[in-house]
Amino acid sequence: MTGRPPTGAGPWPYAVWALTRAWLLACVFKVVTVAGPDVTVDVSVIYRGWYGTLLSGTYPLDDVTWQYPPGAALAILSPALLPFWEYATAFFVVVLVCDALVLGLLLYAGRRPGRRAAGAWVWVAGVPLLGPTVYARYDLLVTAVAVAALLAGVGRPRALGALAAFGALLKGWPALLLAGVRKGRPTRAAWTSAALGAAGLSAAFALWMPGAFAFLAFQRERGTEVESLGALVFHVARHFGWEGRVELRYGSMEFLGPHVELVSTLALGLAALALGWLLLWRWRARVFAVHTPAEAAFTAVLLFTVTSRVISPQYVVWLVGLAAVCLVFRGAAMTLPAVLVVVSAGVTLLEFPLGFGHVVASDAWGVALLVVRNGLLVAASLVAGRRLWRSTVPGRPRTGASAAPGGQPSRAAR
């Protein structure tokens, strides 16, 4: 057995989790009033409407705000597990249960040799920093699947593949969990499991109800959302006479006007560059430690988040969950990016919902909040990418140093 002996976290994570989640519940149940837009409307109105449509036997084909893979129907229908409560109440309770399950998984994993409780603390602190929005969207449910996939995948790549496929059919991004699986047999096992799982589930959803993949057309039409990295161009341009406007489209506030299409295209180009870097890293990587899949997934999701045309507040919970898994492992290199993500969660709360009026108006406070929040995410992406590369891609051995089998430098060369 290697590594330090497991260290108990004591009762403190549970106590802090209970206090912070009580505050989140007070916010979504409106016992505590939070300034800005009412974040619970998505659940009480939009999700509730989708719930009725799904129960009628079809996906929301006439609603362009339905931009999710077919598995999202399971999240929207999940309050049916608690039929004795009103829809919104049941939804918030389901999210609370998933939140608790993630904490349990992280604490359980942290007790094993070579692990630690730091990952659980990232989750305990990072989630409430996002404010009530995190309980008023279904992204925490998807994050729970991703956390379970990475922790289960340490010794069972097929489980990682199956859960990643399920997560991808909930909200797309968990497909990136497969990026860091060790090459060779583990990769074949995980990717085969994912492919078979995705094919089987996709067929099941398509047979279950019509319109399972209508979301693809709706997603393609999205523009540049006001909180994205590219939107900063227009926030600044508005102060120099740019003749554009902000409108509610496809369920989010987007910029419309001159050059918006160009910036949206450039964002897609940056996403393509991120994919190219990820493929290059995958090709060059030789050193795969036990924590590499988590670090690769964290880096990949960071890259695709910052290059997205939309950086909604709830996206940050994905990053908090993946950062938490990274910090479960002793010797992981993602401490600084994880801290940057947790800090960005707090700034995100200031930006939405507290300061969203300032963001939409592109005033100095709103632009400053976006610059800080998006700057933290960009910095986390760059640091994570650099550390992932340095820990997995062997450098050129120094003169006189020998290389270990498999392309890894020997101890003398490190």
Side-chain angles (χ1 to χ4, degrees):
M1 184 169 62
T2 59
R4 301 179 187 178
T7 303
W12 291 109
Y14 302 101
V16 177
W17 181 89
L19 288 172
T20 54
R21 275 45 177 191
W23 176 73
L24 288 176
L25 288 176
C27 291
V28 294
F29 285 119
K30 301 181 181 177
V31 176
V32 175
T33 301
V34 177
D38 182 2
V39 300
T40 65
V41 169
D42 275 38
V43 176
S44 59
V45 177
I46 299 176
Y47 286 14
R48 181 65 183 82
W50 290 342
Y51 178 80
T53 302
L54 291 166
L55 286 180
S56 72
T58 182
Y59 284 91
L61 300 178
D62 298 324
D63 188 349
V64 295
T65 62
W66 176 263
Q67 300 181 18
Y68 308 109
L74 299 179
I76 302 303
L77 291 170
S78 61
L81 297 171
L82 304 170
F84 39 83
W85 279 326
E86 178 267 336
Y87 181 85
T89 299
F91 182 87
F92 299 144
V93 172
V94 169
V95 176
L96 175 70
V97 170
C98 289
D99 186 354
L101 287 174
V102 173
L103 176 65
L105 287 172
L106 292 168
L107 286 172
Y108 177 78
R111 296 189 187 103
R112 303 185 65 182
R115 315 288 176 83
R116 55 183 178 173
W121 280 112
V122 169
W123 183 254
V124 169
V127 169
L129 284 175
L130 282 167
T133 305
V134 75
Y135 268 30
R137 305 291 187 272
Y138 84 88
D139 295 79
L140 193 147
L141 280 65
V142 185
T143 304
V145 174
V147 169
L150 288 172
L151 293 177
V154 170
R156 296 178 290 275
R158 287 187 178 84
L160 169 58
L163 287 170
F166 177 59
L169 285 169
L170 288 172
K171 203 161 187 179
W173 66 266
L176 296 170
L177 303 180
L178 300 170
V181 181
R182 185 186 299 273
K183 293 180 180 179
R185 182 177 298 175
T187 288
R188 290 191 295 273
W191 291 16
T192 299
S193 176
L196 293 175
L201 288 171
S202 296
F205 285 123
L207 293 172
W208 179 30
M209 287 187 293
F213 296 95
F215 77 97
L216 293 171
F218 300 153
Q219 186 67 240
R220 187 174 60 246
E221 298 298 325
R222 295 198 74 161
T224 296
E225 191 257 349
V226 296
E227 297 163 284
S228 65
L229 186 62
L232 286 170
V233 173
F234 302 111
H235 283 296
V236 174
R238 293 175 92 177
H239 294 273
F240 294 91
W242 178 71
E243 298 179 355
R245 63 191 186 280
V246 174
E247 285 189 7
L248 179 63
R249 297 177 74 242
Y250 300 99
S252 64
M253 303 299 291
E254 296 184 358
F255 277 114
L256 295 176
H259 312 301
V260 172
E261 186 175 348
L262 172 62
V263 170
S264 297
T265 302
L266 290 174
L268 291 174
L270 287 174
L273 287 176
L275 176 61
W277 181 89
L278 195 61
L279 292 173
L280 178 63
W281 166 79
R282 176 75 191 179
W283 179 55
R284 293 284 306 277
R286 295 292 182 273
V287 182
F288 286 78
V290 67
H291 47 73
T292 299
E295 295 188 339
F298 179 49
T299 303
V301 175
L302 267 170
L303 290 171
F304 282 99
T305 298
V306 299
T307 58
S308 172
R309 293 171 293 172
V310 181
I311 308 181
S312 295
Q314 62 268 23
Y315 291 12
V316 181
V317 75
W318 313 344
L319 303 172
V320 170
L322 297 179
V325 177
C326 289
L327 265 62
V328 163
F329 302 97
R330 296 188 186 276
M334 295 295 164
T335 300
L336 177 56
V339 170
L340 293 173
V341 163
V342 171
V343 174
S344 78
V347 181
T348 298
L349 173 60
L350 296 177
E351 174 261 309
F352 184 91
L354 300 182
F356 195 60
H358 297 280
V359 171
V360 173
S362 301
D363 65 19
W365 178 239
V367 174
L369 287 173
L370 282 182
V371 168
V372 173
R373 196 281 298 268
N374 292 346
L376 287 167
L377 293 179
V378 169
S381 303
L382 296 175
V383 174
R386 183 171 183 268
R387 293 188 173 189
L388 177 67
W389 187 280
R390 293 185 66 180
S391 65
T392 56
V393 178
R396 181 176 299 174
R398 293 177 296 186
T399 304
S402 60
Q408 300 180 25
S410 66
R411 184 179 300 273
R414 295 179 182 174

